[in-house]
Amino acid sequence: MSDVLVLGIETATAQVGAALVDESGLVGSFHVTRDRRHAETLVPAIRQLLETCSVELADIEAIGVDVGPGLFTGLRVGLATSKSMAFALQIPMVAVTSFEALASETRWCDAPVVAVIDARRGEVFHQSFREGEALGEPGVATPETIRDGLDADAVLIGDGAIRYAAVFETHKVASTIVYPAAGAVGRYCFARAVAGQVVSHDRVAPMYLRRPDAVANWATVSGQVSTKHR
Amino acid sequence: MARPMTETILGIETSCDETAAAVVIGGRDIRSNIIATQIDLHAEFGGVVPEIAGRAHEQHITATVAAALDEARVSAAEIDAVAATVGPGLIGSLLVGVSAAKALALVWDVPFIGVNHLEAHFEAALLEDPTLDPPLLIILVSGGHTMLVAMDATRRFQLLGRTLDDAAGEAFDKVARYLELDFPGGPVIDRLAKSGDPTAVKFPRPMLRDGLDFSFSGVKTSVINHVRANPDYDVNDIAASFQAAVVDVLVTKARRAADQIGANGICLAGGVAANSALRAAVTEAGAADGRRVLLPRLDLCTDNAAMVAASGWWRLRSSGPDKLDAGADPRLKVNFVDDLGL
Ligand SMILES: [Zn+2]
């Protein structure tokens, strides 16, 4: 298994990224956080990354993708891209959640870590971890609700923790861990791939944690529906 | 670089609520045309819910592409280019198809082609019968558009007429909703109209003698007013009479436009092209004027990827491949030529 090389893809938040990981760690990575042009940026970035790292597409043994939660359209760009690549390359995939990618950067921390991702509309997606292992289920809640349930020594990470820093002011916010990184997705994928814990692309599904608007709120349906172009 | 005329193109269409993929050779030979429709997911909302559509596209896109390749019995190595609809449409839906197409183009090392959904509809009728020579008059009628378009032999387009308010399909949907019929309204009105009298109510024919533009909002309003004033209305008669008014205006103006450009034929395009009364009226007009008529078969009228692959084949010739940094444009316009000189 010494020559395993994986591609990590990350588009679930404001950041778009791609990374190549092998047993030596990060081979190369690309991240852009400005302008949210995920669909425009991702595929050329992957091509550039492969070229710069002298990696052939055929060398990739698995693709890891952040399946969310996060921005719906952004994460669908990553899923459509990574699943199509895995299909065309006939290689397996590893699904990583945004929480897992964020929390994987805090294995060194022995305090409880809460990954908090901005969910808009005054809410955040959240999940708790200790030393990179999940403590509870993923959920969506107001920042105030999260704060009220926090352990005294809990550390918060993610763009939701930074956006609502004022709400979380009684706790430590690790302000350098903002978005899930493609490198973290890649490292997670590499570990799973080496352990043989991979799935087919058709088993990879997004984690939305929220129902579509029209389902959630009938009152807004008339403003949501679009006339079908038939 | 000279390109072979027999390029095999994978087309992908995700602009609204059909996830579709197709393999077309040489811009005309349909080897597969897979359509995964989401209509049931949206029916209860009486329209397409963008987030529901985006989710379903993501769920189905890869399997749909796989099915298109399977049914065409072509291997990935035989695909010469991947074309996808880049607009107009719902942004969250378009981006799924565009992302998938670019990823496939990257891995297979073939060109990516961004296709305009409306230009793809213009091409659909010619997939059936490519022997008809331009200039052609295309009647594009759908939920979002009503246009009379001239097409020349190199696939340049001139806009001759368009709706000034509601699209024809939109008028069908709104009338259907008012009559509390099922969604989508067009096919239901078509079906009820078969048992109704199209002369029962004389609904207005707006702007019939006036230029090549359309206005359907007034027809819709007259239907609503008539139904309000006559609570014991016969729904079949209303459907037939409303449909007759819309078809009458469409066909009258299309004939005039076809005369104006010396069209060799008239092609129907868009989802409303499935309407049986419109098909009959256009066929009749063609016979009366000695002009050929092309009616795309039903699975080519509605959103499909075969038309995207065919349009992509033409686009590859006229403007070459697109870059992999292409995105989607929900309001993409057809690049109309001011005057084709027809
Ligand atoms: Zn359409």
Side-chain angles (χ1 to χ4, degrees), chain A residues 111-228:
Chain A
V113 169
V114 185
V116 184
I117 295 164
D118 187 6
R120 314 279 184 88
R121 291 183 231 148
E123 291 185 320
V124 291
F125 302 121
H126 64 94
Q127 190 176 17
S128 301
F129 290 82
R130 191 185 284 272
E131 293 172 3
E133 299 299 320
L135 291 178
E137 293 299 309
V140 58
T142 63
E144 292 76 13
T145 310
I146 309 291
R147 177 198 57 201
D148 294 347
L150 285 176
D151 291 337
D153 60 341
V155 177
L156 295 111
I157 57 173
D159 65 345
I162 289 164
R163 174 164 182 181
Y164 295 103
V167 177
F168 299 121
E169 65 181 352
T170 50
H171 284 76
K172 197 174 285 174
V173 172
S175 60
T176 56
I177 305 174
V178 183
Y179 300 116
V185 173
R187 279 193 296 272
Y188 194 100
C189 174
F190 179 84
R192 289 287 178 93
V194 168
Q197 294 168 337
V198 292
V199 295
S200 166
H201 63 81
D202 54 8
R203 312 294 298 175
V204 175
M207 177 187 276
Y208 290 114
L209 289 186
R210 219 185 228 159
R211 302 171 77 195
D213 276 348
V215 180
N217 185 359
W218 269 94
T220 62
V221 164
S222 58
Q224 284 283 327
V225 297
S226 142
T227 303
K228 172 160 168 46

Side-chain angles (χ1 to χ4, degrees), chain B:
Chain B
M1 182 179 72
R3 298 184 181 282
M5 297 299 279
T6 54
E7 285 147 323
T8 301
I9 297 190
L10 171 69
I12 294 177
E13 155 63 38
T14 62
S15 66
C16 191
D17 65 346
E18 327 277 6
T19 314
V23 175
V24 177
I25 298 179
R28 56 179 58 171
D29 179 9
I30 302 175
R31 292 304 172 94
S32 62
N33 190 21
I34 307 291
I35 303 172
T37 184
Q38 308 171 5
I39 209 126
D40 294 345
L41 295 179
H42 302 284
E44 65 173 304
F45 303 105
V48 176
V49 182
E51 178 58 20
I52 292 177
R55 291 184 181 195
H57 285 305
E58 188 282 320
Q59 198 180 343
H60 297 298
I61 184 67
T62 316
T64 305
V65 166
L69 294 176
D70 264 9
E71 190 170 300
R73 294 175 196 226
V74 298
S75 68
E78 293 170 85
I79 299 293
D80 296 309
V82 183
T85 302
V86 294
L90 302 167
I91 185 69
S93 291
L94 289 164
L95 285 177
V96 172
V98 171
S99 298
K102 294 199 299 179
L104 295 170
L106 173 74
V107 172
W108 293 337
D109 194 23
V110 296
F112 162 74
I113 313 158
V115 167
N116 182 307
H117 183 80
L118 303 180
E119 292 180 17
H121 272 303
F122 298 160
E123 199 63 42
L126 288 162
L127 272 167
E128 285 259 76
D129 182 359
T131 66
L132 183 54
D133 288 325
L136 301 176
L137 188 275
I138 298 163
I139 312 172
L140 174 70
V141 273
S142 71
H145 300 274
T146 305
M147 294 179 183
L148 296 177
V149 174
M151 175 201 267
D152 77 0
T154 59
R155 266 52 175 183
R156 293 186 309 154
F157 306 103
Q158 179 185 343
L159 182 63
L160 302 170
R162 69 197 157 85
T163 182
L164 302 177
D165 42 55
D166 289 355
E170 192 179 357
F172 271 90
D173 280 344
K174 285 178 176 171
V175 165
R177 208 174 303 163
Y178 192 78
L179 299 174
E180 297 179 346
L181 306 176
D182 285 344
F183 170 82
V188 181
I189 288 183
D190 192 3
R191 182 164 45 79
L192 297 179
K194 290 194 168 86
S195 321
D197 174 6
T199 62
V201 187
K202 181 78 181 166
F203 289 122
R205 271 71 169 157
M207 302 165 61
L208 190 64
R209 323 230 157 268
D210 192 16
L212 295 176
D213 287 335
F214 302 95
S215 167
F216 291 114
S217 172
V219 189
K220 172 199 67 189
T221 308
S222 328
V223 173
I224 291 172
N225 290 341
H226 179 89
V227 166
R228 274 203 192 119
N230 302 275
D232 57 343
Y233 66 89
D234 178 318
V235 71
N236 296 338
D237 284 350
I238 297 295
S241 300
F242 160 70
Q243 183 170 275
V246 172
V247 167
D248 191 10
V249 181
L250 280 171
V251 175
T252 302
K253 299 212 174 199
R255 290 172 84 170
R256 196 180 302 151
D259 285 344
Q260 190 178 306
I261 61 164
N264 287 329
I266 297 184
C267 302
L268 270 183
V272 182
N275 182 276
S276 62
L278 179 60
R279 292 170 90 88
V282 173
T283 305
E284 203 176 294
D289 300 345
R291 196 170 265 134
R292 285 181 62 192
V293 165
L294 285 193
L295 310 174
R297 59 174 205 251
L298 295 189
D299 62 335
L300 295 176
C301 293
T302 47
D303 290 353
N304 67 88
M307 67 181 192
V308 174
S311 180
W313 185 87
W314 282 96
R315 205 181 150 78
L316 195 56
R317 294 194 141 55
S318 61
S319 41
D322 288 291
K323 291 188 179 154
L324 289 179
D325 65 359
D329 180 354
R331 277 174 283 280
L332 185 65
K333 299 272 185 277
V334 176
N335 191 14
F336 285 117
V337 173
D338 281 345
D339 188 355
L340 287 175
L342 298 169

Side-chain angles (χ1 to χ4, degrees), chain A residues 3-8 19-29 49 62 182-191:
Chain A
D3 57 351
V4 173
L5 184 138
V6 304
L7 171 66
L20 291 166
V21 170
D22 70 6
E23 84 278 357
S24 66
L26 194 62
V27 175
S29 71
L49 184 64
V185 173
R187 279 193 296 272
Y188 194 100
C189 174
F190 179 84

